[in-house]
Amino acid sequence: MQGSEYVQMDATQLAEEIRSGKCSPEEVLRQCEAAVDAMDPQLNAIYYRGFEEAKRQIQTGVDKSAPFAGVPLLVKDSGAMVAGFPYSAGSRLLQGSICSEDTSLTKKFKQAGFILVGSTKTPECCFTNTTESLLHGATRNPWNLQYSTGGSSGGSAAAVASGIVSVAHGNDGGGSIREPASCCGVVGLKPSRFRISGAPDVDDANSGLCTSFALTRSVRDTKRLLMAVNGVDSGYYGTQPPLTEPQAERKLRIAVMKHYPLGGELENAECLNRLEEAERMLRECGYETEEAYPIIDPRIHWARTTIQSAYIVRQLELGAERMGRPINEQYVEETILEAYRRARKVTGESFVEALEVNNRISRSMGAFMEQYDLILCPTMGSLPPHIGEIDANVHTEWDYDTWSREKSRFTHFTNLFNTTGQPSISVPLFESSQGLPIGMELSGRIGEDMLVLHVAEQLETLHPWKYRMPQITKEYINHV
């Protein structure tokens, strides 16, 4: 296998090449390592290079009947632990920590045939939507190195978009899979709540706001992966019905959100134009569309921040205890420190009130979804931010509230579906006049992940993105 072939294949095709004997897992691994060597110095996406561990994993045997036999996979440095890999969650507080065991999802990745080749960078505690930190610096967008990958799964998004890997793990507590997918022109699914296990330590991350899954190059990879790794473990109270294919020839009603859910025009006019183009495509499929909006409690952002900040307190205090370090400016960024200080003052009553707000929003959305099968909107409503544009370490003049407002410009559409737990996917349908990706977001009813994927696959067929690639990848292909 040539490097020029490797970086253009999705995971399904790579597995087929290995299964047929056209190439070996060792050859594929060598091409993955070569791609990291060539492109990551510019991207700054990889946290840990685990190629020696990957070679040992291959030596133990590759099950060629597995759906992704021999395919390299990167895990985000948050949410999916790999025994022996370092773990930092983007924080100097945790730097030097080593994972003691595989999480449940990691085991399922291995059972699906993936070869784990390392981990990707994330902002500190995954608490912002750009992948920039004092520990790692800035992870750069493969489509234009002056732009951000989004966050917090930006390292994974950059690795998939460039072709370093065809699949990378991510997690999503407010858009952290879907926003980087939109910024970097890849597919990013946040599955239904309780669809993916977070065992053994976490299964209700951020009180249900966050779930793990992956970023991919194609909807077929996303679908096959979901079928391979879905399902929670025994001993946990949450579950989802089994994945089932949608009814054939079902005529769908699709709500289209053309402004932000709480009001306000889209930041970028091209995003609205592309949304209307996506709407026309859905009508070509025979679906009924209309502009419509669920009723959303305006305290949605307060509730999410209250809940997530409380979990940051726990994360930092466990890290400080484990590493024997103080929680101070030497080890923690100022914005995260301020979130920690504020969260320490949150009462139990306020935390419960935040959960109640989320419940009311979920019930309102449930009523709305009785009228519609899907919701279509832009993933972000804006183009990717420039490097440094929303990085509080650059804007030292910002206070915490200013930083929160600035970064929230990019989460108007995504975080709603974390609150409700619905399946939600970003697909890279379009590009801007500047050549930057513009993702469209499809979201369905709780548990109807396969319907979301079915319609996303139809959009991919109508407007394929397989042969679009960033300049950094083109240059790599021309030089190998």
Side-chain angles (χ1 to χ4, degrees), residues 224-463:
R224 285 165 63 90
L225 180 59
L226 185 64
M227 295 174 69
V229 304
N230 87 100
V232 296
D233 301 85
S234 59
Y236 186 60
Y237 68 87
T239 188
Q240 281 291 339
L243 293 167
T244 56
E245 293 289 346
Q247 299 173 6
E249 305 302 324
R250 176 178 166 189
K251 185 165 185 176
L252 305 178
R253 296 192 73 222
I254 302 174
V256 182
M257 295 199 291
K258 296 186 179 183
H259 61 67
Y260 295 126
L262 292 177
E265 299 301 315
L266 302 190
E267 187 170 309
N268 182 272
E270 283 189 89
C271 292
L272 178 58
N273 294 337
R274 294 307 198 180
L275 171 65
E276 291 172 345
E277 188 175 342
E279 183 182 8
R280 287 193 293 271
M281 292 164 63
L282 290 173
R283 287 177 177 168
E284 287 177 19
C285 295
Y287 302 141
E288 179 183 342
T289 68
E290 66 177 15
E291 186 173 357
Y293 303 85
I295 298 172
I296 304 301
D297 189 320
R299 292 179 295 169
I300 182 173
H301 297 301
W302 167 82
R304 183 168 65 94
T305 301
T306 298
I307 293 166
Q308 289 182 323
S309 296
Y311 279 84
I312 280 184
V313 169
R314 182 65 175 155
Q315 183 178 7
L316 292 179
E317 291 187 346
L318 284 173
E321 180 181 348
R322 179 173 184 175
M323 303 304 293
R325 293 168 177 161
I327 301 172
N328 61 21
E329 64 279 358
Q330 182 181 354
Y331 294 107
V332 181
E333 295 175 15
E334 177 54 38
T335 48
I336 307 302
L337 271 179
E338 181 59 19
Y340 172 79
R341 296 184 197 109
R342 293 185 178 203
R344 289 292 302 271
K345 299 175 183 177
V346 171
T347 64
E349 181 181 8
S350 292
F351 188 87
V352 171
E353 183 183 359
L355 295 177
E356 290 171 348
V357 168
N358 284 353
N359 179 63
R360 283 193 292 273
I361 294 170
S362 296
R363 299 299 177 182
S364 175
M365 178 64 84
F368 182 77
M369 296 304 291
E370 289 178 2
Q371 306 169 63
Y372 301 100
D373 299 282
L374 295 167
I375 298 173
L376 171 71
C377 60
T379 306
M380 292 169 53
S382 60
L383 299 181
H386 283 86
I387 294 292
E389 182 176 343
I390 53 173
D391 181 6
N393 298 311
V394 172
H395 293 279
T396 54
E397 75 279 8
W398 288 352
D399 62 16
Y400 180 84
D401 293 322
T402 301
W403 171 70
S404 295
R405 284 194 302 273
E406 288 295 321
K407 73 187 185 77
S408 69
R409 290 164 36 212
F410 300 91
T411 62
H412 290 294
F413 288 115
T414 53
N415 64 26
L416 172 58
F417 303 106
N418 295 88
T419 295
T420 61
Q422 294 167 255
S424 185
I425 192 171
S426 178
V427 288
L429 283 178
F430 306 114
E431 290 182 4
S432 74
S433 56
Q434 301 167 255
L436 294 168
I438 297 176
M440 291 292 131
E441 184 177 66
L442 278 171
S443 306
R445 297 170 181 152
I446 284 277
E448 294 193 358
D449 306 58
M450 296 298 274
L451 178 61
V452 171
L453 289 167
H454 173 71
V455 176
E457 206 161 26
Q458 289 180 301
L459 291 174
E460 183 179 20
T461 300
L462 286 171
H463 202 77

Side-chain angles (χ1 to χ4, degrees), residues 19-35:
R19 198 174 292 113
S20 68
K22 292 180 181 178
C23 62
S24 67
E26 290 85 356
E27 289 178 88
V28 172
L29 182 63
R30 282 196 293 272
Q31 294 302 340
C32 177
E33 188 169 9

Side-chain angles (χ1 to χ4, degrees), residues 25 29 54-55 57-58 62 68 70-74 113-117:
L29 182 63
K55 291 172 186 176
Q57 186 185 343
I58 291 173
V62 175
F68 297 103
V71 175
L73 178 137
L74 287 159
F114 285 110
I115 306 301
L116 275 57
V117 298

Side-chain angles (χ1 to χ4, degrees), residues 193-245:
R193 183 175 296 154
F194 304 141
R195 181 69 76 189
I196 303 296
S197 172
D201 297 322
V202 177
D203 245 324
D204 202 7
N206 290 347
S207 294
L209 292 175
C210 187
T211 188
S212 276
F213 190 54
L215 299 97
T216 72
R217 293 174 60 87
S218 65
V219 177
R220 71 172 182 175
D221 277 359
T222 300
K223 182 177 178 180
R224 285 165 63 90
L225 180 59
L226 185 64
M227 295 174 69
V229 304
N230 87 100
V232 296
D233 301 85
S234 59
Y236 186 60
Y237 68 87
T239 188
Q240 281 291 339
L243 293 167
T244 56
E245 293 289 346

